[in-house]
Amino acid sequence: MSDKNKKGPESKTYKFDTLSLHAGYQPHKNAGSRQVPIYQTTSYLFDDVDHAAALFNLERGGHIYSRISNPTVGVLEERVASLEGGTAALATSSGMSAIFLTVMTLCEAGDHLVVSSQLYGGTVNLFRLTLPKFGIKCTFVKPRDTEGFKKAIQKNTKGIFGELVGNPGNELMNMPEISKIAHDAGIPLIIDATYQTPYLCKPFEHGADIVVHSLTKWMAGHGSSMAGILVEGGNFDWMQNDKFPTMTKPYEGYHGLSFAEEFGPTAFTMKARAEGMRDFGPCLSPQNAWNVLQGIETLSVRMKKHCSNAEEMVKYLLDHESVAWVSHPSVPDHPDHALAKKLLPNGRGSMIAFGIKGGKDAGVAFINNVKLASHLANVGDTRTLVIHPASGTHSQMDEATLKFAGLSHDMIRLSVGIEDIDDIKNDFEIGFRAARKPRLVSNQ
Amino acid sequence: MKFKVNGDEIFASTGGRPFDKNKPLIIFVHGSGLTHMTWVLQTRYFAFHGYSVLALDLPGHGLSKGKSLKTIEDMADWISSVIDAVGYKEASLVGHSQGCLVTIECTARYPDKIKTLSLMGGAGAIPMNPELLALAENGDPKAVDLMMDWAHGPAGHFGGHPVPGLYHINTGGMLAKSRTIKDTLGVDFRACDNYKNGFEAAKKIKIPTLSILATDDKMCPVKEGKKLADLIEGSKVDIIDNCGHMMLLEEADRVLKVLKSFITTNYPSKN
């Protein structure tokens, strides 16, 4: 080989599919057990008083009490951190508790956040109704209104939060541009990437600073276990300004520790665990962590099938006489199609929103009559799921909030599973037939 | 804490405790392109157990101002200046990788100031792979990726960080990218490559010395570490199995146990 063609040394750190199976776990430290053991315990023996003190002072790594950390949960945390390209992660009992811990680690009473308006209904309620009780206010901005995020930033703003692809309207945030806006203002960008998983998008590569997931969804896939996680990118400089004193100033709760000085690229996670998990306690059970790990082992295999089935369903729905409109980033005339190609090169995800002709009544008839697709309040299961958001997941919103969040009464939210595509289409035909004759079917 | 050395503002972690001049001083010197944060699982322990600790950010690294020093000899003199700057007459030194070259040279130059020497992943010389050196000097992030690959043993590549939730390779990579790569890693690698006095300096060392080596260390293999240790009179060697060059994180507890025994025996604190 000539020198011209010589590629030079290449890093041989493990790649995505290998990390999905192995990251965070060393069998030789676990009795040679090939599978990750479930450490079903509340607490851990100290060698002596000095060892106990060292663990409590963060002088040494290790486990004290399973509310704060657990070896099985720790494997899951490292595995997700590795897949996201992050420095550290903290697993929680649900995706909502991951968002709550993120906000409570970042903010104090009197602080403000800029938040995308297109979010899961529960997240909207957290930002709109619950966080103000803690003195944290939010300004909502439509996900495509990039300039609006900039205009909404105030002196006391501590971060920008959003779902990369909004639930359920499938509108994208321009993550690279919005991250520049956040960083110019000296604040982090927090992205809920539940819909994508790191297989479809690694937000840290596009400027995000913290990523949160509901692991309950595609990451686990099996729909058996609640779990969430926050992941730190490690690139945000908490010491660049005086906006984050709880990260940079001595913390009374740990003998005057400055998280930013001592832990740098993992400071946020260390604080979220040492303070947030200690004081609020939404810990993940080791059994659920193990269940999620089983799902992550096949993440890339499943995501490929989710995405190919979703693209098939998009084509089917676009051609269907009962469908008024289809929203999915793979559709060429979707307003965010080009951005989705850039941010989601491995597939545009398996969430589809579509409008059914006949409005709300037709939607109800469709959902009541499909047999294979499951009507339930979850997404990202290996099984196909459907729901009518206006009467289900987002039913606690008033009319104006629904409109601002991009929801309509004819909208069906579809989470495409990995069943045989023909079976999904046949099932939808039953639903559409019923929707065309809603009264007749409901009387049967 | 921040203090001035040769006119530059320098940062050093004190291990989470106030710096107390009445306690014996331990200075920790990081490896190429890294920062004080690599020592967090050793420094906090000593700071809470009777010692004053300075885990330094070398000039131009981490939170320290100034420009990176270009030779190991300059860094050795600079460590001596640090001891003066904080008002001490003596200290115990702990180095990792490039930090071993610096502390060996410093001990040889200032034998009255240095009381014990602890070397982790050390060798008498650290010649650099020319391609890696070129990448670092050009500021190519691939240099950091390669360093993280080679610096972690097979076990470390899977993770298993002693602090729950932290992932080794990405954390180390982020530390090495925290400042401009060519001005930190590039300068440091060149300094390592140019340094030829390690074995001669080792022969002059007459203080208690500990070498911690790791079986899977590709950057400073065990045989190179032993070659260095053999030149230091009475030097102790401890070898860790299933561990790579980043032993201070990959096997933090084991390193702390050995270090604790060595320092408390040879440089005890009365506090």
Side-chain angles (χ1 to χ4, degrees):
Chain A
M1 187 186 284
S2 71
D3 281 352
K4 200 177 171 184
N5 294 325
K6 199 175 168 188
K7 281 176 74 182
E10 293 291 331
S11 170
K12 292 187 178 61
T13 49
Y14 293 115
K15 297 187 172 59
F16 193 90
D17 287 357
T18 309
L19 293 171
S20 299
L21 289 154
H22 294 280
Y25 182 60
Q26 297 184 351
H28 73 277
K29 290 185 179 172
N30 290 276
S33 171
R34 181 56 277 178
Q35 181 53 278
V36 177
I38 301 171
Y39 282 88
Q40 192 64 52
T41 182
T42 58
S43 34
Y44 307 84
L45 286 175
F46 303 124
D47 297 341
D48 51 34
V49 170
D50 192 46
H51 179 221
L55 288 168
F56 278 102
N57 282 339
L58 300 178
E59 296 163 26
R60 296 172 65 170
H63 304 283
I64 298 172
Y65 192 58
S66 284
R67 187 178 81 248
I68 296 165
S69 66
N70 170 283
T72 311
V73 178
V75 174
L76 173 66
E77 290 166 340
E78 278 198 61
R79 191 160 300 180
V80 177
S82 78
L83 294 173
E84 282 288 7
T87 53
L90 174 64
T92 56
S93 56
S94 70
M96 286 305 298
S97 53
I99 296 172
F100 181 69
L101 272 197
T102 299
V103 172
M104 298 313 283
T105 303
L106 198 61
C107 297
E108 295 179 86
D111 288 345
H112 171 262
L113 293 163
V114 180
V115 180
S116 166
S117 63
Q118 203 173 90
L119 305 168
Y120 158 59
T123 314
V124 173
N125 286 329
L126 170 69
F127 283 106
R128 193 168 71 96
L129 302 173
T130 306
L131 288 175
K133 292 185 199 171
F134 293 82
I136 299 164
K137 292 189 176 168
C138 308
T139 301
F140 287 94
V141 177
K142 290 191 172 183
R144 288 183 183 131
D145 182 10
T146 300
E147 198 58 25
F149 283 93
K150 189 175 182 177
K151 287 180 187 156
I153 292 172
Q154 305 172 7
K155 262 190 173 176
N156 58 341
T157 302
K158 296 298 168 71
I160 296 177
F161 176 91
E163 295 175 4
L164 174 55
V165 179
N167 177 355
N170 278 335
E171 293 181 27
L172 266 73
M173 290 173 75
N174 192 329
M175 186 162 47
E177 291 299 318
I178 295 171
S179 81
K180 277 184 208 153
I181 290 168
H183 296 161
D184 286 348
I187 56 175
L189 174 65
I190 305 135
I191 289 292
D192 183 336
T194 298
Y195 272 33
Q196 289 74 51
T197 80
Y199 177 77
L200 295 184
C201 179
K202 294 181 181 176
F204 298 138
E205 293 177 357
H206 303 283
D209 302 293
I210 297 160
V211 170
V212 293
H213 286 281
S214 168
L215 298 174
T216 312
K217 314 301 190 301
W218 288 265
M219 293 287 268
H222 37 59
S224 73
S225 310
M226 307 301 294
I229 202 160
L230 66 89
V231 192
E232 182 169 10
N235 209 20
F236 189 80
D237 179 6
W238 301 103
M239 300 172 84
Q240 65 182 288
N241 53 42
D242 58 3
K243 284 180 184 289
F244 304 99
T246 64
M247 295 292 296
T248 58
K249 302 287 182 205
Y251 176 52
E252 199 184 335
Y254 274 97
H255 304 285
L257 169 72
S258 159
F259 285 98
E261 273 188 12
E262 286 290 284
F263 298 108
T266 59
F268 189 82
T269 310
M270 291 298 292
K271 181 168 185 273
R273 189 186 301 278
E275 181 186 64
M277 197 58 94
R278 182 194 64 186
D279 299 349
F280 295 111
C283 58
L284 180 62
S285 76
Q287 177 67 61
N288 276 3
W290 190 87
N291 293 346
V292 174
L293 282 166
Q294 305 318 296
I296 289 177
E297 291 190 353
T298 58
L299 181 62
S300 66
V301 180
R302 287 185 289 108
M303 289 309 289
K304 283 173 194 157
K305 185 77 191 288
H306 273 297
C307 290
S308 64
N309 268 5
E311 297 210 3
E312 282 287 320
M313 283 306 289
V314 165
K315 285 180 206 156
Y316 162 78
L317 292 169
L318 282 170
D319 290 340
H320 205 284
E321 59 179 342
S322 297
V323 174
W325 54 268
V326 179
S327 175
H328 186 259
S330 68
V331 178
D333 65 358
H334 186 283
D336 306 315
H337 180 69
L339 183 62
K341 275 175 87 171
K342 179 179 161 189
L343 298 182
L344 308 169
N346 289 340
R348 321 292 183 252
S350 59
M351 288 302 297
I352 299 171
F354 66 92
I356 190 161
K357 285 181 183 169
K360 185 178 178 181
D361 290 345
V364 170
F366 174 86
I367 288 195
N368 281 343
N369 282 278
V370 287
K371 306 293 181 210
L372 179 66
S374 306
H375 176 212
L376 48 76
N378 193 20
V379 293
D381 197 304
T382 44
R383 290 153 282 254
T384 294
L385 314 174
V386 289
I387 200 164
H388 180 237
S391 59
T393 51
H394 293 68
S395 60
Q396 285 148 341
M397 292 180 178
D398 58 31
E399 200 64 33
T401 312
L402 276 176
K403 199 173 172 190
F404 191 66
L407 275 84
S408 56
H409 287 283
D410 66 345
M411 178 191 282
I412 303 283
R413 187 181 76 179
L414 161 62
S415 173
V416 183
I418 61 173
E419 300 97 337
D420 189 290
I421 190 68
D422 291 338
D423 292 334
I424 305 173
K425 288 178 186 172
N426 289 339
D427 189 46
F428 270 47
E429 281 306 315
I430 297 168
F432 283 132
R433 266 202 301 277
R436 285 195 291 272
K437 298 176 186 171
R439 285 184 187 170
L440 180 63
V441 173
S442 62
N443 288 339
Q444 282 175 345
Chain B
M1 79 175 189
K2 289 175 181 167
F3 57 102
K4 292 244 173 170
V5 181
N6 301 336
D8 290 323
E9 185 182 277
I10 295 302
F11 177 84
S13 166
T14 56
R17 301 293 286 168
F19 191 73
D20 181 350
K21 287 186 184 176
N22 296 313
K23 296 176 180 175
L25 174 63
I26 310 174
I27 294 178
F28 291 79
V29 185
H30 61 73
S32 298
L34 295 172
T35 77
H36 70 276
M37 288 172 201
T38 51
W39 294 110
V40 70
L41 293 175
Q42 286 80 36
T43 50
R44 291 181 66 77
Y45 182 87
F46 284 103
F48 278 85
H49 289 81
Y51 291 88
S52 275
V53 163
L54 291 177
L56 298 163
D57 280 342
L58 290 172
H61 293 61
L63 302 173
S64 284
K65 296 189 173 156
K67 287 189 174 175
S68 296
L69 300 170
K70 291 188 175 172
T71 68
I72 297 298
E73 291 84 350
D74 286 349
M75 295 179 210
D77 289 340
W78 183 82
I79 297 290
S80 170
S81 301
V82 166
I83 297 169
D84 297 340
V86 294
Y88 274 76
K89 291 194 178 344
E90 61 179 48
S92 176
L93 297 186
V94 184
H96 173 237
S97 192
Q98 171 191 296
C100 294
L101 301 182
V102 175
T103 52
I104 291 164
E105 183 65 29
C106 181
T107 305
R109 287 181 177 221
Y110 304 96
D112 296 336
K113 268 186 176 173
I114 312 304
K115 297 302 168 189
T116 71
L117 176 61
S118 304
L119 307 170
M120 294 179 203
I126 308 181
M128 300 306 301
N129 174 304
E131 288 169 302
L132 178 61
L133 179 57
L135 288 167
E137 288 188 320
N138 288 325
D140 191 328
K142 195 175 170 187
V144 174
D145 297 340
L146 285 167
M147 182 170 86
M148 289 301 118
D149 175 9
W150 297 341
H152 290 87
H157 272 247
F158 290 123
H161 200 291
V163 177
L166 272 58
Y167 187 64
H168 280 306
I169 288 181
N170 295 346
T171 302
M174 205 50 76
L175 283 181
K177 290 173 186 166
S178 63
R179 300 282 287 263
T180 314
I181 292 168
K182 72 181 170 72
D183 295 331
T184 52
L185 199 60
V187 173
D188 288 350
F189 277 176
R190 178 61 70 185
C192 287
D193 197 56
N194 284 343
Y195 181 65
K196 310 295 179 202
N197 194 47
F199 295 111
E200 288 308 309
K203 289 176 193 168
K204 295 179 187 166
I205 295 173
K206 307 293 177 197
I207 57 167
T209 300
L210 166 71
S211 280
I212 306 180
L213 306 169
T215 53
D216 297 329
D217 187 342
K218 288 186 200 170
M219 300 185 101
C220 293
V222 167
K223 67 172 184 178
E224 293 299 322
K226 277 185 171 174
K227 202 193 298 179
L228 175 73
D230 285 347
L231 296 174
I232 302 173
E233 198 178 301
S235 171
K236 280 184 66 174
V237 175
D238 189 84
I239 299 173
I240 305 178
D241 288 333
N242 285 321
C243 184
H245 190 60
M246 292 304 292
M247 58 196 70
L248 61 177
L249 291 168
E250 286 182 72
E251 289 292 343
D253 270 1
R254 169 72 180 269
V255 165
L256 178 61
K257 190 178 172 188
V258 176
L259 198 58
K260 194 167 71 174
S261 168
F262 176 74
I263 290 181
T264 54
T265 302
N266 294 292
Y267 194 52
S269 170
K270 290 172 191 157
N271 294 279

